[in-house]
Amino acid sequence: MKVAVLMGGASFERAISLDSGKRVCEALEEAGHKVVPLDTTKDLVPTLRSERPDVAYSALHGKHGEDGTIQSLLEFLEIPFVGSPAAVCHDTWNKATIPLALRSWAAGQGGMSSASYPQGVCLARDAMKDMGAATAIDLFEQRIPGGYPLCVKPACGGSALGVHRVECVEDMGAALLDALTYDDEVLVQEWIDGVEVAVSILGNGWDAHALPPVEIIVRDGLYDTDARLSDEAVDYYTPVRPSSLSNNEADAQAIRAEIERASLEVYRAYGVCDMGRVDLIWDGAQARVLEVNVSPGMTERSLFPVACDAAGLSMTAVLDRLVCEHA
């Protein structure tokens, strides 16, 4: 089949997207498909109409790639594509929607849910700039359980861009300003300590299944943008080490199952399709969901390929199956 692989774009994550796109192209060519690699420039639509691909795969990350923009365009052009529809991408793009998604899911399941999330508030740039909300940053300590340290991050975005651990009110202003350079809304939440885990998922609805969870260990500091792009800053363990979850092997297995169950719950709550990744922290008592990624990275160090390897799945086989399902 002729497969258009969309990559690059104009987001802060352009470089990562180009790396992901390159690896996707290589895998699909290995599977025997005719690949058309396309940067998302002003020539994209004319080229798509001229090439008339059987199916598209978006390796775009960040704005325009995960917020529903490219998906709505492909829907308009009536080009089948791998991944979630525009409406789902629009919802998952904003991390502030996680509480509503999980509450709605729990209501449909008789009030039962394995997943939780950090408590916090979401404020718009306009409220900070034009309505005086910046004068009330002293209230964060009262409004958010546990007080400092707090997590400050853009409501929308990936690769940990603009994420800060804030230890005191004096440092809050600078963190808010930086986060708001990446998005129009900022989240201020509990800082959650625990085991950081990424759970990649394949499939749709009740047929979706979790791949082995990847445990993320940062050698120094935070799992921020620089750490994610470094070969030396982070260690991955796939699957998550039982000893990180509990000293008792049976308990560790039960906790891992709980982590996978929580990830599948939020995946299904949003209606994510084909593939995705759920990032969370096991805080010792529950799985605290941080975000849902509808366009996982596909670079050599990305978490989705690492999970596929641990599951005995080749990227060639996974991507071949996904594009064939949509053609």
Side-chain angles (χ1 to χ4, degrees):
M1 292 182 296
K2 181 186 284 190
V3 184
V5 177
L6 313 180
M7 65 183 84
S11 82
F12 294 111
E13 299 175 70
R14 173 179 172 82
I16 302 172
S17 171
L18 289 171
D19 285 346
S20 287
K22 180 176 181 291
R23 192 173 189 203
V24 169
C25 288
E26 291 170 351
L28 290 175
E29 286 173 349
E30 184 179 338
H33 300 289
K34 180 180 179 180
V35 176
V36 182
L38 296 174
D39 201 340
T40 54
T41 66
K42 292 181 179 179
D43 295 325
L44 177 63
V45 170
T47 303
L48 285 171
R49 297 186 74 186
S50 173
E51 291 284 352
R52 302 179 66 180
D54 298 304
V55 63
Y57 181 100
S58 173
L60 293 167
H61 303 317
K63 189 175 182 181
H64 299 163
E66 299 177 67
D67 62 358
T69 300
I70 193 65
Q71 291 80 9
S72 59
L73 176 59
L74 293 170
E75 289 169 0
F76 170 64
L77 297 173
E78 296 186 337
I79 298 174
F81 60 91
V82 173
S84 298
V88 171
C89 296
H90 181 269
D91 289 343
T92 57
W93 177 238
N94 190 331
K95 301 175 186 67
T97 64
I98 291 174
L100 177 60
L102 286 176
R103 285 197 296 268
S104 297
W105 170 263
Q109 303 299 313
M112 301 297 293
S113 176
S114 296
S116 184
Y117 47 86
Q119 300 292 318
V121 297
C122 181
L123 292 171
R125 176 189 285 117
D126 288 348
M128 300 293 293
K129 179 182 176 182
D130 302 327
M131 302 177 189
T135 66
I137 61 175
D138 59 298
L139 296 178
F140 288 136
E141 188 172 13
Q142 303 172 33
R143 298 286 190 271
I144 300 173
Y148 289 98
L150 294 171
C151 179
V152 174
K153 60 187 177 184
C156 302
S159 295
L161 292 163
V163 176
H164 296 269
R165 176 186 168 111
V166 180
E167 301 286 350
C168 59
V169 67
E170 288 78 14
D171 296 334
M172 180 60 71
L176 291 169
L177 284 173
D178 184 62
L180 287 169
T181 64
Y182 295 99
D183 189 47
D184 292 333
E185 293 183 312
V186 63
L187 278 172
V188 183
Q189 299 176 316
E190 299 174 85
W191 184 268
I192 307 296
D193 287 313
V195 184
E196 191 157 2
V197 179
V199 181
S200 297
I201 297 172
L202 283 169
N204 302 311
W206 290 103
D207 291 328
H209 63 279
L211 302 181
V214 181
E215 179 184 355
I216 301 161
I217 299 293
V218 184
R219 297 180 186 178
D220 184 42
L222 305 179
Y223 188 45
D224 56 14
T225 307
D226 291 340
R228 292 170 189 233
L229 298 178
S230 170
D231 291 333
E232 307 297 332
V234 184
D235 293 315
Y236 298 137
Y237 297 93
T238 316
V240 56
R241 296 170 297 178
S243 59
S244 297
L245 303 176
S246 174
N247 293 325
N248 180 283
E249 185 173 348
D251 289 344
Q253 292 177 353
I255 292 170
R256 174 179 165 178
E258 185 83 356
I259 288 170
E260 294 177 359
R261 186 161 49 247
S263 301
L264 285 165
E265 283 183 4
V266 70
Y267 185 92
R268 291 168 178 150
Y270 278 113
V272 179
C273 298
D274 296 336
M275 61 189 300
R277 194 189 74 237
V278 176
D279 297 340
L280 54 83
I281 293 176
W282 177 258
D283 69 359
Q286 56 188 338
R288 310 292 290 274
V289 176
L290 304 180
E291 66 177 300
V292 180
N293 191 316
V294 295
S295 181
M298 292 293 172
T299 70
E300 289 186 3
R301 282 189 57 79
S302 294
L303 297 165
F304 190 91
V306 168
C308 286
D309 288 344
L313 303 173
S314 73
M315 292 308 302
T316 297
V318 170
L319 294 174
D320 177 49
R321 189 188 76 190
L322 289 173
V323 298
C324 287
E325 288 175 349
H326 287 275

